[in-house]
Amino acid sequence: MAIQNLRSSPHLREVSGAAAIFGCFALLYASLRSRDIFATDGAHRCLEVFHRQAIFFHENNHLLYPVNVLAWTRLIAALGMKPNGPFEFYRIAELMNCFAAAASLAIVFLLIQWTISSWRFALGAVVTLGLSKAFFSQATNANEAVVGLFWSLLAVLLLVLGLRARSLLLIFVSGLIFSLAMATYESMI
């Protein structure tokens, strides 16, 4: 009886729906990553990280992009995926965007579902967004904007949760993550 109640719980359904969206879109984006290294201007910034192999800040409105790429590629290297050259490094950086875009869609799904209480509408909206040309092309390359979008949406999610729970700590953390979003890609705030 307790297991049946747990399975029908709205919270578990929402989280499992968001996890399914993340998994499906992460696989889709990862399998369809761009092979055109010059498709966006993010490639030369990504390759600058490959050549420097140290933390540095970009002078444009992508201040933390190099830090995100370096942290991601080092995490992936610790998990056994070490790039053998600049193109493999770029492909691993593309994975960062694949996962950040998929996580962004999962967050959008939760926010829409909480707002209108319809998982069908939330799913339709997220699939439409996730397959749109603009979103899809950013999710499958190493451009700067996607990680900023992820941080921004995570901040919105934490803000909503903080307001629901009346938690000043969550609201404060949301503000910190908004700062991170802005430092990652300025226009994402």
Side-chain angles (χ1 to χ4, degrees), residues 45-62:
R45 290 182 190 93
C46 174
L47 294 176
E48 188 177 356
V49 175
F50 173 76
H51 289 293
R52 287 191 188 193
Q53 288 297 314
I55 289 180
F56 67 96
F57 303 106
H58 195 268
E59 65 277 354
N60 202 345
N61 66 348
H62 324 104

Side-chain angles (χ1 to χ4, degrees), residues 105-179:
L105 291 173
I107 293 170
V108 168
F109 174 79
L110 287 172
L111 292 172
I112 292 172
Q113 191 172 10
W114 291 342
T115 303
I116 62 172
S117 301
S118 170
W119 70 267
R120 286 183 177 98
F121 185 80
L123 180 63
V126 164
V127 168
T128 301
L129 174 62
L131 296 178
S132 69
K133 183 176 179 2
F135 197 90
F136 193 89
S137 65
Q138 294 295 313
T140 56
N141 68 47
N143 210 12
E144 302 90 349
V146 180
V147 176
L149 175 66
F150 165 72
W151 291 127
S152 191
L153 287 170
L154 180 61
V156 170
L157 178 70
L158 290 176
L159 179 61
V160 168
L161 292 172
L163 291 172
R164 280 180 159 187
R166 297 177 190 239
S167 168
L168 289 177
L169 177 62
L170 281 176
I171 294 169
F172 177 76
V173 171
S174 171
L176 289 177
I177 293 176
F178 268 127
S179 298

Side-chain angles (χ1 to χ4, degrees), residues 37 41-53 56 58 65-66 69-70 73 86-94 96 142-144:
I37 199 166
D41 63 346
H44 74 274
R45 290 182 190 93
C46 174
L47 294 176
E48 188 177 356
V49 175
F50 173 76
H51 289 293
R52 287 191 188 193
Q53 288 297 314
F56 67 96
H58 195 268
Y65 176 73
V69 170
L70 186 64
T73 54
F87 189 69
E88 286 183 25
F89 186 88
Y90 176 79
R91 299 285 287 163
I92 288 172
E94 285 180 320
M96 174 182 71
N143 210 12
E144 302 90 349

Side-chain angles (χ1 to χ4, degrees), residues 3-74:
I3 292 175
Q4 186 177 12
N5 287 341
L6 183 62
R7 284 187 186 151
S8 64
S9 127
H11 178 69
L12 183 61
R13 279 184 283 155
E14 292 167 351
V15 171
S16 60
I21 286 168
F22 172 79
C24 290
F25 275 100
L27 285 172
L28 176 69
Y29 294 151
S31 65
L32 297 175
R33 284 177 288 164
S34 173
R35 298 209 181 272
D36 183 3
I37 199 166
F38 300 110
T40 64
D41 63 346
H44 74 274
R45 290 182 190 93
C46 174
L47 294 176
E48 188 177 356
V49 175
F50 173 76
H51 289 293
R52 287 191 188 193
Q53 288 297 314
I55 289 180
F56 67 96
F57 303 106
H58 195 268
E59 65 277 354
N60 202 345
N61 66 348
H62 324 104
L63 181 71
L64 290 183
Y65 176 73
V67 177
N68 289 322
V69 170
L70 186 64
W72 172 260
T73 54
R74 292 219 172 136

